[in-house]
Amino acid sequence: MKAILNNKDYTITEKPNQPLNMEVNGKPVALDLFEPRKGSFQIIYNSHSYNAEFIDYNEDDKLVTLKLNNKLYEIKIKDDTDELLEKLGIGSKSHKVQNIKAPMPGLVIEIKVKPGDSVNKGDALLVLEAMKMENIIKATAPAIVKKINAIKGNAVEKNQVLIEME
């Protein structure tokens, strides 16, 4: 399996009959993993402890959102089919515009766009505070802001539609 994190490619290979032993870019990696509650993990790697929480999985984009030691990471997953299409120069399926949903419960701190604004992939749309951390919610594809459902200062729930796109 391929994973992309911070614009770096990683090849992850699970080792058969060796749970939690894998290779990352050909180098062996052994992890101790505990799941104190569903979706939350304690990882021990090289004598360091990491707190990880599964936040979201966007099936269309094959994008996993994880919180690792209170910092959000988006990891793009590539399977064998994606690799083959890329080698053939076909690329992945076209990206459809989606509404922007809250990845976690939080408080809307700032709204950076207004209806009618044209945005590109990666543009900041709003700031959501969750667990005393400010998270910038970004556009997933080029689009036009159709409607803002979020209100500055209001709390939102996970998966609540914050911004409608067209």
Side-chain angles (χ1 to χ4, degrees), residues 35-163:
E35 187 176 11
R37 65 182 188 279
K38 187 165 177 62
S40 180
F41 303 92
Q42 181 74 31
I43 302 168
I44 299 174
Y45 171 68
N46 279 348
S47 301
H48 289 84
S49 178
Y50 302 91
N51 295 314
E53 183 179 353
F54 174 80
I55 301 296
D56 190 35
Y57 176 63
N58 181 322
E59 192 171 354
D60 291 335
D61 296 329
K62 296 183 180 176
L63 192 65
V64 176
T65 304
L66 292 177
K67 185 181 283 188
L68 186 62
N69 287 347
N70 288 323
K71 186 173 179 184
L72 286 179
Y73 291 92
E74 289 186 338
I75 302 168
K76 174 93 172 147
I77 305 298
K78 288 179 164 181
D79 59 19
D80 292 340
T81 303
D82 297 321
E83 290 291 311
L84 178 60
L85 290 173
E86 193 173 284
K87 283 181 184 176
L88 294 172
I90 298 171
S92 62
K93 61 184 175 186
S94 64
H95 195 291
K96 62 180 181 181
V97 177
Q98 297 180 338
N99 292 333
I100 304 300
K101 296 180 181 179
M104 66 198 82
L107 183 69
V108 178
I109 300 297
E110 182 179 359
I111 300 173
K112 296 184 172 280
V113 293
K114 61 187 181 310
D117 283 357
S118 179
V119 296
N120 291 310
K121 181 178 180 174
D123 286 353
L125 303 174
L126 60 88
V127 180
L128 183 66
E129 181 183 274
M131 297 173 57
K132 299 183 183 179
M133 303 249 333
E134 290 187 2
N135 301 286
I136 298 173
I137 308 301
K138 298 179 181 179
T140 58
I144 296 174
V145 177
K146 180 178 177 183
K147 182 180 177 186
I148 309 283
N149 297 328
I151 299 171
K152 183 178 177 179
N154 281 10
V156 295
E157 296 297 320
K158 181 177 179 173
N159 290 326
Q160 180 177 333
V161 175
L162 303 173
I163 300 175

Side-chain angles (χ1 to χ4, degrees), residues 12-27:
I12 301 169
T13 308
E14 293 181 51
K15 304 301 274 182
N17 303 319
Q18 298 179 31
L20 303 178
N21 285 312
M22 61 186 82
E23 289 183 354
V24 177
N25 292 342
K27 296 179 184 174

